[in-house]
């Protein structure tokens, strides 16, 4: 934060004032807090999912595309089945989103396992495909015929994720995100299946020696991370926008990577690092409004925060290993 | 620091009262080491005695907490390995520091100079490598890619790398661990040649015979200190061994004669290819009976690696058949083979046998992570695992604070003890062990070999693949020699046949029995 303040001063702003606005401002009232929590939902979901992929040494950079794939799948289901009750419809929409994301991640996983294609490259390429396909869908086949803007039809009411608190946009997704992050923690560190995922990530030779199927574990890991990103997309659609737009995600998929790294690839810590990034995101919007600090500078400050935390984490890790 | 008279010192290198600790763990407790120019100075000691740490300090990889280092009469303060190289100090590490997918020449120039200059100089680099290689008879081709080379060849590449950088003081960390007797002889000769060239050699080893043969001075390390320094002429192996472990070492393990029973493992006409698709095994046939230890001798890279991988299901088999206790296991997956009465101590523990960032407890259940009692309903049973790991640690005297320690923090010998303990805990009728004692100390070697003999006497069938003839002759009942993917011959494990095994390892078929018989009668 000190760095950030210095940086702001250098650029001609009242450094500490801006920081104060950012920190105090985001917590100023009940509504701001619910907005932070709302922003943290996709970050926690994506971050926790990516922890699993990264632990398996699958560098999934495609959470953004998987989020869009999930959002499209959720929208398709969410507009198509009138007459279902919420109890059935909402889970159906969410599952569709998760499956959409898992499928999108699974493509990269399959290419990796079958053809040794670098998942870093393929997931990035799949991002573009997903984003452009979404644009095409909302301007073409899925376009709401009554609307002037490129957007899909509105989701049926029964498919909307219920709000957590009436009067705020915050929905019950926050509880599900936290619960799923904890489930993934148990999966990764307390279950046999998660043990195999971690062994494959650290040393595939040892994994084969232990009788593990390395390819299958890699597929599982990337599908879990894709599924979580897809779920994040479904929540954005069914919980916030209720329609599919071209740009439903302001880069949650990429920020999720930082969330996972900051959490040390531990899904439980992704709850906190996801929350922190939500604060930073809210703060950055506020900084722009109140002090006209450009977005770019805000991103730099975010970068500094990430770097310092990750560096300290890495130092701790190495000093422990040296002994 | 500068109170010593410079240049008058008779020593090339003086390390005085070196202390180093990581938190509560002391790894160097006031070491004093003095090396004269032009000598071969052996640093003898068990793994975990502090030899490698001391050399890491000398090479600038670690910083000492206190103590002084004088080199060529002046205080030496090195901050990085690159500075050490500039001062003419070069180390050949026990675990090779080579980039597998680069060529020899590319490895040598790594981190040296700018890329553009390097492209221009590459030809000169190649010439220099060839010249050095010819001069010392190392058989190193500058354009060979590292990952295609056998372990023994990679070692020669490492040694040549240090020479390439123009080193005055060479540190060789366990250099003979992977060499045949003939190659070892050649290396010891090479060390003599280097000294004759005016270079100085620090020879880290735990092999008494080699140390006795080649060294001028010997410093023995124990418990992170140099406990004794002596001229080789003033000592004997027995004294050195006692100094190393603080007790007498049994150079000859006591053992009864074998009592072989039923055939447990039978390999029939086994053929397979290596990673590069080249034939690695060409119709290998042999069998191992219950209650015997069969050794596979051979220079590394003659198909031993592929043999162990093929038997354990990790390498596809082209032709032939492998049976375990009468059951055909050819083509079974590693997971299926793991379900059988089978244990495997792999040849490269870092590459395959262990997970360094995992704790000992997590490593202990590598094969059984999804089996009862270590897992129930898909969840790991941490309590059961911890007490299982504690049991292994206790029975095999693994030196560790507790079972939650990271494996990376253990010495090589203790890591290997854990691997052996884990494998034997599977209660296997057949045990496949590969390079069991590579790079580990005498105490651990003796302990593990004794454990192997106990397993033999308990009626287990053991296949021991090793490049260490000493190890093979100590525990095996019969020895097969592999050369170029074939079994060249079999001899009983009688030390009088040592020469014969050595010749077969070099590709010479043993004198046919028919030719020997007339001489006997």
């Amino acid at each position: 934060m000190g760095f950030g303040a210095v940086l702001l001063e250098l650029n001609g702003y009242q450094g500490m004032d801006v920081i104060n606005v950012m920190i105090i401002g985001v917590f100023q009232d009940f509504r701001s807090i619910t907005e932070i929590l709302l922003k943290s939902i996709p970050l926690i979901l994506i971050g926790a999912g990516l922890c699993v992929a990264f632990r398996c040494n699958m560098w999934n950079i495609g959470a953004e595309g998987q989020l869009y794939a999930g959002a499209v799948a959720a929208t398709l289901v969410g507009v198509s089945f009138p007459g279902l009750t919420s109890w059935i419809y909402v889970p159906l929409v969410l599952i569709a989103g998760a499956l959409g994301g898992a499928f999108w991640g699974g493509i990269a996983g399959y290419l990796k396992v079958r053809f040794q294609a670098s998942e870093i490259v393929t997931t990035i390429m799949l991002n573009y495909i997903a984003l452009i396909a979404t644009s095409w869908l909302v301007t073409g086949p899925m376009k709401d015929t009554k609307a002037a803007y490129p957007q899909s039809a509105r989701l049926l009411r029964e498919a909307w994720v219920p709000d957590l608190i009436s009067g705020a946009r915050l929905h019950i997704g926050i509880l599900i995100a936290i619960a799923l992050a904890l489930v993934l923690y148990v999966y990764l560190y307390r279950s046999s299946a998660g043990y195999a995922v971690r062994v494959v990530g650290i040393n595939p030779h040892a994994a084969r020696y232990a009788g593990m199927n390395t390819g299958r574990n890699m597929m599982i890991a990337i599908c879990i991370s894709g599924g979580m990103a897809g779920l994040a997309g479904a929540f954005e659609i069914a919980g916030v926008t209720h329609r599919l737009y071209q740009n439903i995600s302001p880069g949650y998929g990429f920020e999720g990577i930082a969330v996972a790294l900051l959490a040390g690839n531990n899904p439980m810590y992704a709850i906190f690092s996801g929350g922190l990034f939500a604060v930073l995101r809210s703060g950055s919007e506020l900084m722009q409004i109140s002090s006209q600090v450009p977005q770019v500078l805000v991103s730099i400050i975010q970068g500094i925060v990430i770097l310092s935390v990750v560096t300290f984490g890495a130092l701790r890790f190495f000093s422990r290993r040296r002994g | 620091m500068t109170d010593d008279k410079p240049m008058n010192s008779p020593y090339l290198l003086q390390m005085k009262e070196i202390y180093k600790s990581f938190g509560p763990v002391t790894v160097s407790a006031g070491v004093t080491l003095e090396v004269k120019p032009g000598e071969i100075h052996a640093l003898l000691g068990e793994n975990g005695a502090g030899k490698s740490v001391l050399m890491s300090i000398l090479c600038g990889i670690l910083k000492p907490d206190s103590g002084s280092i004088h080199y060529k009469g002046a205080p030496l303060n090195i901050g990085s390995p690159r500075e050490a190289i500039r001062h003419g100090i070069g180390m050949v590490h026990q675990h090779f520091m080579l980039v597998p997918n680069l060529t020899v020449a590319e490895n040598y120039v790594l981190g040296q100079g700018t890329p553009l200059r390097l492209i221009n100089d590459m030809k000169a680099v190649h010439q220099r490598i060839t010249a050095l290689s010819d001069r010392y008879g190392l058989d190193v081709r500058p354009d060979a890619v590292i990952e295609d080379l056998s372990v023994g060849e990679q070692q020669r590449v490492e040694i040549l790398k240090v020479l390439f950088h123009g080193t005055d003081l060479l540190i060789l960390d366990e250099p003979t661990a992977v060499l045949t007797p003939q190659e070892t002889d050649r290396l010891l000769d090479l060390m003599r040649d280097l000294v004759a060239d005016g270079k100085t050699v620090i020879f880290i080893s735990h092999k008494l015979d080699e140390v006795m043969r080649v060294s001028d001075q010997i410093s023995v390390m124990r418990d992170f200190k140099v406990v004794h320094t002596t001229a080789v002429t003033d000592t004997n192996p027995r004294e050195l061994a006692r100094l190393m472990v603080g007790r007498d070492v049994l150079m000859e393990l006591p053992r009864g004669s074998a009592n072989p029973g039923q055939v447990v493992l039978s390999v029939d006409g086994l053929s397979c290819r290596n990673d590069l698709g080249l034939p690695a095994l060409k119709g290998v046939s042999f069998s191992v009976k219950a209650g015997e230890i069969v050794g596979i001798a051979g220079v590394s890279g003659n198909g031993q690696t592929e043999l162990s991988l093929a038997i354990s299901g990790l390498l596809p088999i082209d032709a032939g058949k492998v049976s375990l206790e009468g059951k055909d296991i050819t083509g079974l997956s590693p997971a299926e083979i793991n379900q059988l009465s089978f244990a495997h101590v792999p040849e490269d523990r870092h590459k395959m046998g262990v997970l360094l960032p995992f704790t000992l407890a997590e490593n202990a259940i590598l094969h059984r992570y999804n089996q009862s009692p270590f897992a129930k309903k898909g969840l790991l049973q941490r309590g059961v695992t911890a007490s299982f790991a504690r049991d292994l640690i206790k029975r095999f005297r693994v030196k560790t604070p507790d079972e939650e320690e990271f494996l990376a923090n253990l010495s090589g010998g203790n890591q290997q003890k854990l691997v052996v303990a884990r494998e034997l805990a599977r209660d296997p009728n057949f045990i496949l062990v590969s390079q069991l004692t590579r790079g580990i100390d005498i105490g651990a070697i003796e302990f593990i070999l004794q454990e192997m003999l106990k397993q033999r006497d308990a009626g287990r069938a053991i296949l021991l693949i090793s490049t260490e003839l000493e190890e093979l002759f100590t525990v095996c009942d019969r020895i097969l020699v592999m050369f170029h993917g074939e079994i060249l011959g079999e001899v009983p494990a009688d030390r009088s046949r040592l020469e014969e095994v050595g010749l077969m390892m070099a590709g010479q078929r043993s004198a046919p029995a028919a030719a020997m018989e007339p001489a006997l009668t």
Side-chain angles (χ1 to χ4, degrees):
Chain A
M1 279 297 167
F3 274 120
V6 170
L7 202 69
L8 286 165
E9 290 286 357
L10 287 176
N11 283 279
Y13 301 96
Q14 296 292 314
M16 279 326 284
D17 288 354
V18 175
I19 298 279
N20 281 341
V21 166
M22 178 174 159
I23 294 173
I24 298 162
V26 295
F27 294 113
Q28 63 189 352
D29 57 29
F30 182 71
R31 207 195 70 87
S32 337
I33 293 172
T34 60
E35 283 297 302
I36 291 172
L37 290 174
L38 182 69
K39 287 192 172 67
S40 71
I41 295 168
L43 292 173
I44 292 171
L45 286 169
I46 294 170
L50 286 177
C51 290
V52 176
F54 293 169
R55 277 280 166 210
C56 194
N57 210 14
M58 286 296 272
W59 293 100
N60 179 6
I61 312 296
E64 186 78 357
Q66 290 143 19
L67 182 152
Y68 275 89
V72 168
T75 309
L76 282 175
V77 173
V79 297
S80 310
F81 303 106
L84 286 177
T85 67
S86 280
W87 282 107
I88 296 169
Y89 209 174
V90 172
L92 205 62
V93 168
L94 296 178
I95 289 168
L99 288 178
F103 169 73
W104 211 246
I107 297 173
Y110 177 78
L111 293 173
K112 166 84 168 187
V113 172
R114 182 73 181 76
F115 303 106
Q116 283 85 46
S118 163
E119 75 282 8
I120 299 176
V121 176
T122 54
T123 50
I124 290 174
M125 295 197 296
L126 284 164
N127 279 344
Y128 292 114
I129 297 176
L131 259 77
I132 294 165
T134 306
S135 293
W136 171 67
L137 286 170
V138 295
T139 49
M142 283 172 74
K143 186 169 188 296
D144 184 358
T145 42
K146 284 164 284 183
Y149 302 109
Q151 60 182 30
S152 75
R154 190 178 248 216
L155 258 64
L156 296 162
R157 273 245 167 233
E158 290 71 27
W160 291 17
V161 175
D163 287 344
L164 190 64
I165 304 154
S166 62
R169 292 202 296 167
L170 183 61
H171 55 81
I172 59 163
I174 183 70
L175 302 178
I176 294 171
I178 291 172
L180 281 178
L182 292 173
V183 166
L184 285 185
Y185 168 77
V186 171
Y187 168 77
L188 205 49
Y189 290 98
R190 295 280 192 271
S191 81
S192 310
Y195 178 92
V197 164
R198 286 185 294 139
V199 171
V200 169
I202 292 171
N203 186 340
H205 294 287
R208 296 219 313 130
Y209 161 66
M212 297 165 186
N213 184 332
T214 51
R216 199 176 65 201
N217 277 293
M218 285 153 77
M219 277 303 279
I220 290 171
I222 200 162
C223 286
I224 286 177
S225 65
M228 291 290 279
L231 188 59
F235 270 124
E236 287 300 293
I237 296 295
V240 186
T241 64
H242 301 140
R243 287 178 192 273
L244 183 64
Y245 297 99
Q246 275 179 339
N247 300 309
I248 46 161
S249 163
Y252 287 134
F254 299 112
E255 217 152 274
I257 296 167
V259 170
L261 292 180
L262 192 59
N265 292 340
N266 182 330
M268 186 161 57
Y269 298 148
I271 299 171
F272 305 108
S273 65
L276 174 69
F277 274 89
V279 170
L280 286 174
R281 183 168 273 285
S282 296
S284 75
E285 285 167 11
L286 214 62
M287 269 158 93
Q288 280 180 84
I289 297 164
S290 68
S291 357
Q292 289 83 47
V293 177
Q295 172 83 42
V296 185
L297 207 54
V298 176
S299 303
I300 293 175
I301 293 169
Q302 283 188 358
I304 290 170
V305 172
I306 300 167
L307 266 183
S308 35
V309 179
V310 170
T311 309
F312 285 126
L315 283 179
R316 230 181 16 250
F317 177 73
F318 283 115
S319 62
R320 203 174 45 182
R321 275 193 58 175
R322 265 290 166 75
Chain B
M1 288 269 279
T2 47
D3 50 345
D4 282 48
K5 309 138 270 177
M7 304 320 288
N8 290 343
S9 162
Y11 297 109
L12 176 74
L13 172 74
Q14 277 183 300
M15 300 180 83
K16 277 190 185 160
E17 293 291 313
I18 304 286
Y19 282 90
K20 174 78 191 171
S21 55
F22 295 109
V25 187
T26 301
V27 291
S28 195
V31 179
T32 296
L33 178 70
E34 296 174 320
V35 179
K36 288 185 191 139
E39 70 178 7
I40 298 178
H41 195 115
L43 199 55
L44 189 67
E46 300 210 40
N47 256 48
K51 296 170 302 195
S52 298
V53 168
L54 187 65
M55 291 302 115
S56 295
I57 289 172
L58 179 56
C59 290
I61 299 167
L62 296 174
K63 269 206 177 313
D65 296 336
S66 68
S68 68
I69 305 174
H70 283 70
Y71 180 66
K72 294 183 175 168
L76 181 73
N77 201 348
I78 296 182
S80 73
R82 198 190 286 192
E83 274 180 63
I85 292 168
R86 218 177 51 228
H87 279 92
I89 299 174
M91 179 155 178
V92 175
H93 292 269
Q94 193 178 330
H95 294 281
F96 305 139
M97 306 281 181
L98 297 168
V99 183
N101 53 357
L102 295 184
T103 67
V104 171
E106 284 164 350
N107 264 283
Y108 286 6
V109 296
L110 210 61
Q112 316 270 315
T114 59
L116 209 62
R117 259 197 56 213
L118 285 175
I119 292 167
N120 288 328
D121 294 351
M122 227 39 205
K123 206 172 153 199
V125 168
H126 277 240
Q127 282 168 352
R128 180 128 173 266
I129 293 171
T130 312
L132 275 169
S133 169
D134 289 349
R135 169 155 179 210
Y136 293 108
L138 289 174
D139 283 338
V140 172
R141 281 188 303 110
D143 55 350
V145 177
I146 300 297
E147 60 194 353
D148 300 343
L149 301 178
S150 73
V151 179
E153 287 169 319
Q154 287 187 26
Q155 167 145 57
R156 296 204 290 275
V157 171
E158 277 279 17
I159 292 172
L160 190 68
K161 180 164 87 178
V162 177
L163 295 172
F164 179 83
H165 290 311
T167 310
D168 300 323
L169 177 62
L170 274 90
I171 304 160
L172 306 178
D173 193 359
E174 307 279 3
T176 59
V178 290
L179 304 182
T180 63
Q182 284 85 354
E183 279 178 314
T184 302
D185 286 347
R186 224 165 82 182
L187 176 70
L188 299 188
D189 287 344
L190 170 67
M191 285 160 66
R192 280 273 153 230
D193 290 347
L194 290 169
V195 168
D197 256 15
K199 298 192 191 301
T200 307
V201 177
I202 296 179
F203 174 37
I204 302 177
S205 181
H206 54 243
K207 290 188 198 156
L208 297 171
D209 57 327
E210 289 165 11
V211 166
M212 288 299 293
R213 263 167 68 196
V214 76
S215 318
D216 302 307
Q217 287 286 123
I218 301 171
S219 288
V220 182
M221 283 196 81
R222 190 174 77 227
D223 296 334
F224 316 112
K225 278 192 280 249
V226 169
V227 291
H228 191 63
T229 298
T230 173
V232 68
T233 44
D234 297 338
T235 188
N236 59 61
R238 207 157 187 84
E239 185 193 25
L240 291 175
R242 206 169 47 239
L243 286 165
M244 271 170 77
V245 295
R247 66 187 163 84
D248 283 306
V249 174
L250 301 164
M251 298 301 278
E252 192 84 27
L253 294 178
R255 58 167 172 159
S257 54
N259 191 8
Q262 296 239 307
V263 169
V264 176
L265 178 90
S266 106
V267 174
D268 195 14
L270 186 65
S271 295
C272 64
R273 279 163 293 142
N274 63 15
D275 296 348
L276 303 168
L278 302 170
L281 291 180
K282 302 163 188 163
V284 168
S285 302
F286 64 91
S287 66
V288 185
K289 298 191 184 81
E292 71 168 350
I293 303 181
V294 174
I296 302 266
V299 182
S300 53
N302 274 290
Q304 302 98 311
T305 305
E306 288 78 10
L307 177 64
S308 65
L309 294 181
I311 291 175
S312 44
L314 290 162
L315 194 68
I317 291 168
D318 288 341
K321 191 177 152 192
V322 183
S323 318
L324 186 66
E325 299 184 296
K327 181 179 189 284
D328 187 354
I329 63 165
T330 320
L332 292 192
S333 72
E336 287 165 325
I337 290 175
N338 279 335
Q339 300 296 320
L340 305 171
S341 196
F342 177 92
H344 177 196
V345 179
E347 76 170 23
D348 187 334
R349 59 176 175 273
H350 288 172
K351 188 174 167 191
M352 195 175 266
V354 296
L355 297 149
L356 292 173
F358 272 28
T359 65
L360 270 72
E362 287 178 305
N363 268 288
I365 57 165
L366 183 56
H367 298 281
R368 296 195 276 181
Y369 68 101
N370 56 2
Q371 292 169 18
S372 179
F374 303 108
K376 283 193 183 125
K377 292 183 182 149
L379 290 179
L380 297 173
Q381 301 300 307
R382 312 225 301 174
V384 179
T385 303
S387 69
F388 172 67
R390 276 198 298 275
D391 188 45
L392 296 185
I393 290 166
K394 204 169 127 207
R395 273 205 298 146
F396 277 76
R397 294 183 222 140
V398 180
K399 263 193 226 165
T400 173
D402 57 38
E403 77 281 359
E404 292 303 322
E405 184 68 28
F406 292 104
L407 198 81
N409 294 345
L410 266 58
S411 75
N414 284 309
Q415 291 177 1
Q416 187 73 327
K417 276 187 185 175
L418 186 80
V419 174
V420 173
R422 175 185 76 202
E423 294 304 309
L424 294 183
R426 295 162 76 183
D427 199 18
N429 288 334
F430 172 66
I431 307 167
L432 168 62
V433 278
S434 203
Q435 313 302 358
L436 186 62
T437 58
R438 177 178 286 175
I440 66 176
D441 54 272
I442 286 194
I445 289 178
E446 195 188 303
F447 184 90
I448 291 174
L449 290 183
Q450 250 161 3
E451 200 58 38
M452 287 297 144
L453 285 173
K454 267 191 234 164
Q455 295 293 326
R456 180 197 77 167
D457 294 339
R460 271 69 187 264
I462 302 174
L463 181 64
L464 178 66
I465 300 175
S466 181
T467 49
E468 300 273 351
L469 286 187
E470 192 50 40
E471 170 188 324
L472 292 170
F473 278 102
T474 302
V475 293
C476 291
D477 299 303
R478 51 201 178 93
I479 296 174
L480 311 172
V481 184
M482 278 194 83
F483 182 76
H484 285 184
E486 287 174 84
I487 287 179
L488 219 51
E490 173 182 332
V491 295
D494 179 336
R495 268 174 223 276
S496 62
R497 311 292 287 272
L498 192 78
E499 191 67 18
E500 203 178 326
V501 172
L503 286 172
M504 276 196 272
M505 284 167 70
Q508 284 170 276
R509 235 166 250 281
S510 59
M516 290 186 73
E517 230 118 33
L520 290 172
T521 45

